[in-house]
Amino acid sequence: MGVSLPRKEMFDIPEGVIYLDGNSLGVLPKGAVERASSVIRDEWGGQLIKAWNTAGWMALPSEVGDTIAGLIGAPEGSVATGDTLSIKVYQALAAALKMRPDRRVILSDSGNFPSDLYMAEGLIKTIDKGYELQTPAPEDVLEAISDEVAVVMLTQVDYRTGRMHDMDAITAAAHAAGAVMIWDLAHSAGAVPVDVAGCNAEFAVGCTYKYLNGGPGAPAFIYARPDITLGLEPALSGWLGHAAPFAMEQAYRPAMSTERLRVGTPSVVQLSILQEALKVWEGVDMADLRAATVALSETFIAEVEARCPTLSLASPRDANIRGSQVSFAFEHGYPAMQALIERGVIGDFRAPNIMRFGFTPLYLEEAEIIRAAEIVEEVINTEVWREPKYQVKSRVT
Ligand SMILES: *Cc1c(COP(=O)(O)O)cnc(C)c1O
């Protein structure tokens, strides 16, 4: 048995806010402010460059990688941290393509997050050897896996709808066809139980500012299956992925570990905050977390559907194939979400018409979900979203 949820006391959440956007930017863990100020004031300010050794800055990336490994079912030493997720997608894909030099197809799906697809497009142009990116509908991916596919690259949980792929089944199919498997866990890590080693995929990548509460700009992570690591050719051969960064050798020689997937100087302040944020997971049983997520999501769906017939569920109704978010399609979703946010219910809007609500049982409880549904009812049924102030588009939606 893990600790009981929620663990609200571990977070600083503004009064009067029901936060249903932890799938996009997690909330502030209580220890983060103190840790960040101590890193800045005592370590940077007080110890200056010595702090790389005296404050353990250089060890942070792998320490944090090992903690993340524990949350995604990966063995120690198999997860490197740093950069942003887009960069990690690029690295995984470039290394995976090298593993299948005779094949030319990258298979993803049309529901993947745009940046993953953009990075694939960019890599294809850079390599310039006739690679092709295929993006069937998510439900058609399994059938599209053929012996022409070099790499299957998917995000487990669809950022728009919350639809969840079966990692075991798809990885097995990819391997049966001779393809390499990359999973993007952006909406999985800290949200659903993940067993990266168990599914046997070659690569997994993810970010830490969503369900892992690492804060805006927190570093990403990349997992490589231990048996392939020493054969990987890093596409971004930066000095911190070198076997001996401080030997200052003229030629690149990759590290003899997952560290070869690092690139440059780690973001020490963000990594420190993330290390602090990851402490909230101590003692949390992912099966308990998942059960709580499903309960909160089912309550929300039932309450909203009973109150707002004009909203239509855009997420799978079957909780077994739904991640940690619930989305409703509504033509006027953008202004409706602005009206909700003004009333303290913070979700987000994803073009063209999706109102998205994330469920994070570390800091959400049933009563808030019911209250949120009441506020959704008020906004939708009074059509208050028609007010001009809610139509103004911000830069970030
Ligand atoms: C959030 C997210 C990203 C964002 O990538 P960054 O480089 O961290 O901005 C990429 N891919 C997926 C699937 C995401 O959900």
Side-chain angles (χ1 to χ4, degrees), residues 23-24 83-89 111-117 119 154-159 184-188 205-210 217-220 350 356:
N23 52 309
S24 199
D83 316 301
T84 78
L85 177 49
S86 305
I87 302 284
K88 292 314 184 199
V89 166
N112 205 347
F113 191 81
S115 199
D116 295 35
L117 302 178
M119 294 311 276
L154 295 170
T155 299
Q156 187 197 11
V157 178
D158 189 303
Y159 76 103
D184 188 326
L185 303 177
H187 296 272
S188 309
V205 293
C207 53
T208 62
Y209 46 81
K210 292 172 180 161
R350 284 293 173 265
R356 194 170 70 149

